[in-house]
């Protein structure tokens, strides 16, 4: 949604098309040429989510003007809120009736799902109904973080038998040991527009301009000024042959930030086009450097989303009683497992972090596709000696996990949908930082139980017994 406000010293909308639609052309062009820090644009557009009003409570654009992105394209095609017609018992897609079982009308396009179609209009196109997905809980799990400091009962959605039992066992061990300590190292969502030139000389000249202190300062101030709830966290320039990638990272607070980072990248492109001394032959909002929703080494190291660390010490007696192994044996097995993973070229040095993240994301309304990059992590086990004497029968277990690209949110996307809000209510987590710390604790709980089951030889039996109950 866009709300235009005059006489505010901030830059306006986040793309040239939106800028020109939202305010007078002369004002828009002048705004793009502003040299900060004296930003003197006379129009401002606020980007909001989740309703007719913007994030600052202002109303939508005047009804007489179509949304900026649709100007010149005609009216959008009218589509039914739900393509499933319960009255006629027909599902019609592009004028063609799709045959469905009778169970479709009770399990997918049931009365409540069709009635609630309007709730999902901004989240799902060509809506036909909903599916019910098994959801369970683990916990209580004690988390001792800067943003999370209590016992949590955590919703997780999965149809993989034995998964929640395993995570619950890990949570039990952690809680009996006094909890897991968590810290957030950083928070940043990047976008990397690419600029393409005719040869490496032209590209290098542009790279020097882009990475100059003046350009970095100006672009950062421009983004901070133009976009609400956004703060630039990094600005990096990478030249690869005749291409130059300008990676800009933003902190978007409780939102995941992919859309805000997109707008920040668009501002980078606008500034470069208006201020670089030569014409830029080609430029695109993304050239693959951002590695969106796929694992990458750069974000595993430098971070994307939340960068979180968590650790705990499990006493010897808790390891033997709850995890049914010993600290020395399980840490030895875990290190062997990690070394093998490194040998075969794995990026994520963990057992099965993706399992827990996927179940957590689905239950809480976070984007399951972000598991692809969020699960890039490193688990580490070691012995914690009880005294000066290094006796393996008396040592405790040290366990930690580092997740440098954990992408979670507390607002935006599917977080506002009723079922996800209801599931999250049992946690009582209200901020993205809190959710990130809880998520790291969940991941470590799963690692503890998995490695213990593998080392003790219980893994196969546990899966069979819990998935064949008759």
């Amino acid at each position: 949604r866009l709300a235009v406000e005059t006489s505010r010293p901030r830059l306006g909308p986040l793309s040239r098309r939106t800028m020109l639609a939202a305010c007078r052309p002369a004002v828009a062009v002048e705004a793009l040429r502003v040299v900060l820090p004296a930003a003197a644009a006379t129009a401002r557009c606020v980007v909001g989510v989740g309703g007719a009003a913007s994030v600052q409570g202002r109303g939508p654009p005047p009804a007489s003007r179509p949304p900026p992105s649709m100007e010149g394209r005609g009216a959008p095609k009218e589509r039914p809120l739900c393509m499933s017609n319960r009255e006629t018992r027909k599902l019609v897609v592009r004028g063609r009736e799709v045959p469905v079982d009778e169970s479709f009308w009770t399990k997918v396009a049931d009365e409540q799902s069709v009635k609630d179609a309007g709730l999902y209009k901004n989240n799902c196109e060509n809506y036909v109904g909903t599916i019910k997905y098994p959801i369970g809980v683990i916990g209580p799990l004690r988390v001792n973080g800067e943003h999370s400091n209590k016992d949590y009962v955590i919703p997780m959605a999965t149809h993989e038998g034995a998964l929640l039992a395993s995570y619950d066992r890990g949570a039990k061990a952690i809680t009996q040991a006094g909890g897991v300590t968590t810290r957030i190292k950083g928070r940043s969502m990047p976008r990397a527009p690419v600029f393409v030139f005719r040869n490496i000389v032209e590209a290098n000249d542009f790279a020097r301009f882009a990475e100059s202190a003046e350009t970095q300062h100006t672009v950062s101030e421009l983004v901070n000024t133009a976009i609400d709830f956004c703060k630039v966290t990094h600005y990096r320039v990478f030249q690869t042959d005749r291409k130059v990638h300008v990676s800009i990272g933003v902190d978007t607070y409780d939102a995941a930030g992919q859309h805000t980072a997109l707008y920040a990248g668009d501002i980078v492109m606008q500034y470069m086009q208006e201020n670089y001394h030569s014409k830029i032959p080609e430029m695109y909002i993304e050239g693959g450097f951002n590695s969106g929703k796929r694992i990458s080494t750069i974000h595993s190291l430098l971070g994307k989303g939340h960068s979180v660390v968590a650790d705990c010490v499990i006493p010897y007696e808790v390891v033997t009683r709850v995890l049914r192994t010993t600290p020395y044996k399980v840490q030895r097995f875990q290190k062997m497992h990690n070394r093998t993973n490194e040998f075969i070229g794995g990026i994520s040095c963990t057992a099965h972090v993706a399992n827990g993240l996927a179940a957590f994301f689905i239950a809480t309304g976070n984007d399951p596709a972000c598991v692809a990059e969020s699960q890039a992590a490193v688990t580490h086990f070691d012995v914690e000696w009880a005294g000066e004497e290094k006796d393996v029968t008396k040592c405790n277990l040290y366990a930690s996990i580092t997740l440098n690209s954990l992408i979670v949110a507390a607002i935006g996307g599917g977080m506002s949908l009723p079922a996800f809000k209801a599931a999250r209510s049992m946690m009582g987590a209200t901020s993205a930082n809190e959710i990130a710390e809880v998520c790291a604790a969940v991941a470590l709980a799963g690692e503890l139980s998995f490695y213990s089951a593998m080392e003790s030889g219980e893994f196969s039996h546990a899966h069979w017994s819990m998935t064949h109950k008759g």
Side-chain angles (χ1 to χ4, degrees), residues 2 24 48 57 98 114 154 211 241 277 283 368 374 384 405 416 454:
L2 294 172
R24 297 176 182 175
V98 179
V114 174
I154 300 159
E211 64 188 0
D241 52 68
H277 61 76
M283 60 181 183
S374 296
E384 188 88 355
S405 52
S416 62
M454 279 288 186

Side-chain angles (χ1 to χ4, degrees), residues 333-353:
F333 175 82
Q334 191 273 333
K335 288 175 179 175
M336 179 273 293
H337 189 278
N338 260 17
R339 283 195 295 270
T340 304
N341 185 71
E342 293 166 359
F343 175 74
I344 64 174
I347 293 179
S348 182
C349 295
T350 66
H352 69 149
V353 166

Side-chain angles (χ1 to χ4, degrees), residues 236 238 247 289-291 296-304:
R236 305 183 183 114
F238 303 88
S247 177
F289 210 86
N290 179 53
S291 186
S296 68
T297 302
I298 188 170
H299 293 138
S300 299
L301 293 173
L302 300 182
K304 182 177 183 179

Side-chain angles (χ1 to χ4, degrees), residues 133-136 138 141 152-158 163-164 167 353-368 371 406-409 415 420 423-424 426-427 429 431-432 434-443:
Y133 200 84
I135 183 171
I138 68 166
L141 172 57
Y152 290 87
V153 174
I154 300 159
M156 299 178 73
T158 183
L163 183 67
L164 264 61
Y167 274 80
V353 166
N355 257 334
L357 295 186
F360 182 86
F361 281 26
I362 293 171
T364 59
N366 281 284
D367 187 352
V371 171
L406 180 62
I407 301 175
V408 294
M415 305 300 289
F420 300 131
R424 287 200 311 277
M426 69 179 71
M427 284 197 306
S431 71
E434 185 177 8
I435 291 173
E437 290 188 341
V438 171
C439 208
V442 169

Side-chain angles (χ1 to χ4, degrees), residues 76-352:
K77 183 177 179 180
E78 289 293 333
R79 295 177 182 271
L81 287 176
C82 182
M83 302 177 74
S84 303
N85 191 321
R86 286 186 55 82
E87 293 182 2
T88 61
R89 284 294 199 271
K90 289 182 179 181
L91 172 61
V92 179
V93 178
R94 295 190 182 278
R96 184 176 181 180
E97 185 176 349
V98 179
V100 295
D101 293 338
E102 185 59 30
S103 61
F104 177 84
W105 303 104
T106 56
K107 305 299 184 184
V108 178
D110 57 278
E111 184 176 355
Q112 189 64 47
S113 295
V114 174
K115 180 181 178 181
D116 291 342
L119 297 175
Y120 306 102
K121 63 182 179 181
N122 293 325
N123 300 90
C124 181
E125 297 77 35
N126 301 331
Y127 175 84
V128 298
T130 62
I131 58 172
K132 290 182 174 62
Y133 200 84
I135 183 171
V137 297
I138 68 166
L141 172 57
R142 179 68 190 179
V143 185
N144 304 315
E146 291 182 304
H147 308 276
S148 54
N149 191 18
K150 64 180 181 180
D151 293 344
Y152 290 87
V153 174
I154 300 159
M156 299 178 73
T158 183
H159 51 68
E160 180 183 344
L163 183 67
L164 264 61
S166 180
Y167 274 80
D168 193 50
R169 183 174 75 147
K172 180 180 179 181
I174 288 174
T175 302
Q176 291 190 7
V180 54
T181 302
T182 58
R183 289 294 184 270
I184 294 177
K185 301 186 296 174
R187 189 173 61 183
S188 179
M189 180 58 63
R191 176 61 65 178
V194 60
F195 303 85
V196 186
F197 296 86
R198 285 182 286 269
N199 52 59
I200 62 169
V201 175
E202 292 183 3
N204 188 252
D205 182 70
F206 173 80
R208 293 178 183 183
F209 166 79
E211 64 188 0
S212 69
E214 180 183 357
T215 299
Q216 292 191 42
H217 174 76
T218 302
V219 169
S220 297
E221 288 296 316
L222 184 58
V223 171
N224 289 339
T225 304
I227 311 175
D228 286 308
F229 306 106
C230 173
K231 180 181 179 181
V232 173
T233 56
H234 79 249
Y235 177 99
R236 305 183 183 114
V237 179
F238 303 88
Q239 180 183 354
T240 58
D241 52 68
R242 61 179 183 175
K243 301 183 293 294
V244 178
H245 304 264
V246 179
S247 177
I248 186 165
V250 293
D251 181 1
T252 56
Y253 304 95
D254 282 332
Q258 289 98 327
H259 289 168
T260 304
L262 178 69
Y263 307 145
D266 195 62
I267 289 177
V268 171
M269 294 172 65
Q270 292 176 27
Y271 179 83
M272 300 302 179
Q273 186 176 36
E274 293 293 327
N275 292 276
Y276 185 53
H277 61 76
S278 299
K279 181 179 179 181
I280 301 173
E282 297 177 63
M283 60 181 183
Y284 306 95
I285 190 63
E286 179 56 53
F289 210 86
N290 179 53
S291 186
K293 298 183 179 177
R294 55 192 187 276
I295 197 168
S296 68
T297 302
I298 188 170
H299 293 138
S300 299
L301 293 173
L302 300 182
K304 182 177 183 179
H306 284 76
S307 294
V308 194
V309 288
D311 73 354
C312 62
V313 176
I314 312 295
Y316 183 91
E317 58 273 16
V318 175
V319 175
T320 55
R321 176 169 43 83
V322 178
L323 300 177
R324 292 190 289 277
T325 181
T326 69
Y328 180 79
K329 288 181 179 179
V330 71
Q331 63 88 28
R332 183 173 177 270
F333 175 82
Q334 191 273 333
K335 288 175 179 175
M336 179 273 293
H337 189 278
N338 260 17
R339 283 195 295 270
T340 304
N341 185 71
E342 293 166 359
F343 175 74
I344 64 174
I347 293 179
S348 182
C349 295
T350 66
H352 69 149

